């Protein structure tokens, strides 16, 4: 017989087993959207009313976040709505919200000193700046010798433009028997009044549909939405067509190859004609691995390999803009690694998930004098510490493999939704978790995105009629499956209203 104490021990043991078995189910139930209001809710609307008194922070605010209550891949807003975040603050949030490893590092004296003593890195950096630089170089793209940190994606691209053009002018002087920085007095004087020869007639070639930022050089190379550019003076720089691929890719291989060849021929013709006329000679070409803001437009690895050949043959720098595609989210550390280029790009720009802007470059493009690439901060040591934690977490938690699994689940789910709505949805595509599909119209797309938000999943719009996913790299396959199911419900509901 078992006495009362024995029965109590058995009962306690059984209860513990039940509780342990229930933990995964409880955790799974907790990690789901919880919607209390439509979005924006009354609290966000009230805050927006106050913010509008002071300019509205650009005028595009949708709702307000409660960062303290947000956790993991879930964002909580000011009204207590809890979303599965598959957009990650426009692709800039790498490890989700309040990640314990980030929060632990942020509480250290080292991080606090970097946050409260922001040094002028180009003149008097802290002693550990070399350590930070080595962290950056530990993930340098193949063929990159050097790195320069900046403040954001626009400043990364803008300064890469300058470095490319300076190197181009240096090569021109060497061809004339001079030193790269052997400036004439006329050049020194005319540059001060924005005239040639000191301000040379050189250009950066970009692609239709591209987005590279909003500073003056970057906005010149941006061609995604007219609202970004209207009323802003730009440089007379050339634009080449970017391939418009047909999907499914396997069914349109010949047509897509012809389309890519058409675009490559245009690039070569623009560079050659401008060099022959000596009007707006092309010093560099900038391209995104995936045209994100422009509609998640893809091209084949053969296209990018041939683009590298064209630029190399003509002595033109190739700048790969990895601001939105860099840091694991494509299934590679850098999306352009999937191209298997025999000869690497000359520059690779980064920001967003890296938490700090900047660019990698080949040593041939090292500025030949101080202060030619310069600003007060030239980056942010605290953000470099943040990146150090991100990279450590990627390795320790196997986030590269998890991103590939999540990407596979996501693209399979999008293909399934497209097959269920063939007249409305099309062109499911992606690399890693950088996935997208098209909707039959921009108006319908916007309604689907909003309905998905109201159902508890945050996704993004891009291009004229595309929906894109830009989740954190902590996104798991089950998160992707949940996001797809919410999108599917949103599509069903919106389509039912059309009947």
């Amino acid at each position: 017989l078992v006495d009362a104490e024995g029965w109590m021990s058995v009962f306690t043991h059984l209860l513990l087993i039940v509780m342990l078995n229930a933990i995964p189910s409880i955790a799974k139930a907790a990690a789901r959207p919880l919607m209390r209001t439509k979005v924006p809710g009354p609290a966000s609307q009230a805050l927006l009313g106050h913010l509008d008194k002071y300019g509205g922070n650009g005028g595009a605010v949708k709702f307000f976040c409660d960062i303290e209550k947000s956790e993991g891949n879930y964002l909580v807003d000011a009204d207590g709505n809890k979303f599965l975040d598959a957009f990650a603050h426009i692709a800039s949030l790498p490890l989700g919200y309040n990640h314990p490893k980030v929060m632990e590092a942020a509480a250290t004296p080292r991080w606090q000193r970097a946050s409260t003593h922001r040094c002028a890195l180009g003149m008097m950096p802290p002693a550990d700046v070399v350590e930070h630089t080595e962290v950056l170089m530990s993930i340098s793209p193949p063929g990159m010798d050097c790195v320069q940190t900046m403040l954001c994606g626009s400043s990364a691209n803008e300064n890469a433009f300058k470095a490319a053009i300076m190197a181009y002018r240096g090569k021109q002087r060497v061809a004339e028997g001079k030193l790269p920085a052997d400036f004439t007095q006329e050049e020194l004087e005319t540059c001060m009044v924005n005239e040639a020869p000191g301000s040379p007639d050189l250009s950066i070639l970009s692609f239709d549909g591209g987005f590279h930022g909003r500073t003056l050089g970057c906005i010149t190379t941006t061609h995604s939405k007219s609202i970004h550019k209207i009323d802003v003076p730009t440089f007379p720089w050339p634009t080449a067509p970017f391939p418009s691929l047909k999907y499914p890719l396997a069914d349109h291989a010949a047509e897509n190859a012809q389309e890519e060849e058409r675009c490559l021929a245009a690039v070569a013709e623009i560079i050659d004609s401008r060099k022959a006329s000596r009007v707006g000679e092309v010093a560099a070409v900038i391209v995104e691995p995936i045209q994100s803001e422009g509609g998640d437009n893809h091209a084949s690895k053969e296209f990018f390999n041939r683009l590298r050949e064209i630029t190399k043959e003509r002595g033109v720098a190739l700048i790969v803009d990895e601001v939105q595609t860099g840091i694991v989210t494509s299934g590679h550390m850098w999306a352009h690694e999937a191209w298997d280029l025999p000869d690497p790009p000359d520059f690779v720009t980064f920001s967003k998930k890296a938490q700090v802007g900047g660019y990698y470059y080949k040593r041939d493009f090292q500025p030949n004098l101080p202060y030619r690439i310069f600003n007060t901060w030239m980056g942010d040591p605290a953000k470099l510490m943040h990146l150090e934690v991100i990279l450590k977490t990627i390795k320790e938690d196997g986030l590269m493999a998890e991103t590939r699994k999540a990407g596979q689940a996501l693209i399979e789910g999008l293909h399934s939704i497209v097959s269920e709505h063939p007249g409305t949805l099309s062109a499911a595509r992606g690399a890693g978790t950088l996935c997208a599909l098209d909707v039959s119209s921009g108006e319908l797309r916007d309604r689907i995105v909003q309905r998905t938000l109201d159902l508890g999943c945050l996704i993004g719009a891009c291009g004229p009629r595309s929906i894109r996913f830009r989740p954190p790299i902590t996104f798991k396959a089950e998160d992707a499956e949940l996001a797809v199911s919410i999108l599917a419900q949103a599509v069903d509901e919106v389509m039912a209203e059309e009947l």
Side-chain angles (χ1 to χ4, degrees):
L1 294 175
V2 180
D3 58 16
E5 184 177 346
W7 280 113
M8 181 61 68
S9 176
V10 171
F11 176 76
T12 302
H13 184 68
L14 290 172
L15 181 62
L16 180 61
I17 291 173
V18 170
M19 291 175 65
L20 288 172
N21 287 331
I23 286 173
S25 297
I26 295 170
K28 189 172 182 180
R32 289 190 67 87
L34 177 63
M35 301 305 293
R36 304 179 186 278
T37 71
K38 295 291 185 182
V39 184
S44 278
Q45 291 182 43
L47 288 168
L48 186 58
H50 288 296
L51 189 63
D52 282 346
K53 296 177 183 178
Y54 310 109
N57 208 25
V61 173
K62 304 298 183 186
F63 60 87
F64 291 78
C65 306
D66 188 335
I67 299 299
E68 184 177 358
K69 294 179 181 177
S70 301
E71 184 177 1
N73 296 328
Y74 284 84
L75 166 64
V76 176
D77 74 358
D79 289 277
N81 295 307
K82 180 182 176 183
F83 314 93
L84 175 61
D85 189 353
F87 197 49
H89 294 262
I90 323 177
S92 68
L93 191 70
L95 300 180
Y97 298 91
N98 293 307
H99 193 286
K101 293 180 181 178
V102 175
M103 301 304 287
E104 180 183 0
T108 61
R110 178 172 175 254
W111 192 312
Q112 291 168 357
R113 281 193 297 272
S115 299
T116 54
H117 299 83
R118 192 170 181 182
C119 298
L121 296 183
M123 290 190 75
M124 49 194 80
D128 58 2
V129 72
V130 175
E131 180 182 339
H132 297 322
T133 304
E134 288 173 346
V135 169
L136 273 170
M137 290 307 296
S138 73
I139 57 165
S140 62
M144 299 291 104
D145 306 306
C146 306
V147 66
Q148 177 60 65
T149 54
M150 285 290 164
L151 302 175
C152 63
S154 290
S155 60
N157 284 330
E158 194 84 19
N159 282 281
F161 294 166
K162 289 166 58 180
I165 289 172
M166 290 169 185
Y168 193 85
R169 282 294 292 131
K171 288 192 295 184
Q172 288 180 325
R173 291 191 182 95
V174 168
E176 297 169 356
K178 304 175 182 177
L179 296 174
D182 190 6
F183 311 125
T184 66
Q185 187 61 35
E186 183 184 18
E187 288 173 329
L188 294 171
E189 292 173 358
T190 54
C191 76
M192 299 303 291
V193 291
N194 306 325
E195 294 178 356
S199 295
D201 185 13
L202 297 173
S203 66
I204 307 293
L205 186 151
S206 53
F207 288 92
D208 186 32
F211 181 93
H212 302 289
R214 297 173 186 263
T215 50
L216 285 180
C218 291
I219 203 70
T220 298
T221 60
T222 287
H223 314 284
S224 51
K225 294 182 180 71
S226 57
I227 194 63
H228 299 156
K229 297 171 68 83
I230 191 71
D231 291 335
V232 179
T234 54
F235 301 113
W237 293 353
T239 306
F242 191 81
S244 178
L245 302 185
K246 294 182 179 181
Y247 292 85
L249 295 176
D251 296 343
H252 301 91
E255 296 165 82
N256 288 339
Q258 290 177 357
E259 168 68 359
E260 291 189 337
E261 186 54 42
R262 178 185 71 86
C263 297
L264 291 167
V267 171
E269 193 279 329
I270 290 169
I271 296 173
D272 292 345
S273 63
R274 286 187 166 236
K275 189 173 185 65
S277 67
R278 301 188 66 83
V279 176
E281 278 188 55
V282 176
V285 173
I286 186 167
V287 69
E288 300 162 271
I290 300 170
Q291 285 191 332
S292 300
E293 297 291 333
D296 261 40
N297 305 316
H298 291 245
S300 70
K301 64 184 292 185
E302 291 77 17
F303 172 84
F304 291 110
N305 270 264
R306 184 68 189 119
L307 180 64
R308 168 74 282 199
E309 291 173 5
I310 289 171
T311 54
K312 185 72 172 180
E313 290 165 359
R314 290 159 175 79
V316 171
L318 179 62
I319 304 170
V320 176
D321 180 346
E322 290 257 25
V323 167
Q324 189 157 150
T325 56
I327 312 296
V328 171
T329 190
S330 70
H332 298 270
M333 183 59 70
W334 305 102
H336 79 273
E337 291 177 31
W339 304 343
D340 296 322
L341 294 178
D343 185 53
D346 300 297
F347 295 85
V348 176
T349 62
F350 60 87
S351 190
K352 289 193 180 280
K353 283 187 173 67
Q355 301 302 289
V356 65
Y359 59 90
Y360 295 96
Y361 61 101
K362 292 178 178 176
R363 191 169 298 278
D364 291 347
F365 293 86
Q366 178 70 29
N368 46 38
L369 290 172
Y371 294 107
R372 303 199 76 190
I373 300 294
F374 190 83
N375 57 55
T376 299
W377 284 323
M378 297 187 78
D380 185 342
K383 295 305 178 186
L384 289 167
M385 291 181 189
H386 194 171
L387 177 60
E388 185 177 353
V389 177
I390 293 164
L391 297 179
K392 183 178 180 182
T393 304
I394 289 169
K395 183 177 182 179
E396 292 177 346
D397 295 0
L399 296 185
M400 182 77 78
E402 291 294 337
T403 293
R404 290 171 179 167
K405 293 176 184 176
Q408 186 64 31
L410 188 53
I411 195 63
E412 287 177 358
L414 295 184
H415 279 301
S416 178
I417 296 176
V418 166
S419 68
E420 294 169 5
H421 300 275
T424 304
L425 306 179
S426 62
R429 55 200 183 274
T433 56
L434 299 171
C435 293
L437 52 75
D438 290 343
V439 184
S440 55
S441 73
E443 184 273 335
L444 189 60
R445 183 271 312 275
D446 293 344
R447 289 170 57 195
I448 291 171
V449 169
Q450 181 62 44
R451 184 63 57 87
T452 304
L453 181 63
D454 288 334
L455 290 172
C457 182
L458 179 59
I459 55 178
C462 61
R465 55 188 182 92
S466 299
I467 291 173
R468 61 175 161 163
F469 288 77
R470 292 296 186 272
I473 55 179
T474 48
F475 223 58
K476 301 287 194 293
E478 53 264 35
D479 296 316
E481 291 164 358
L482 178 57
V484 167
S485 70
I486 295 172
L487 174 61
Q489 181 181 346
V491 172
D492 288 342
E493 290 183 7
V494 170
M495 293 309 296
E497 295 170 358
E498 292 287 294
L499 299 177

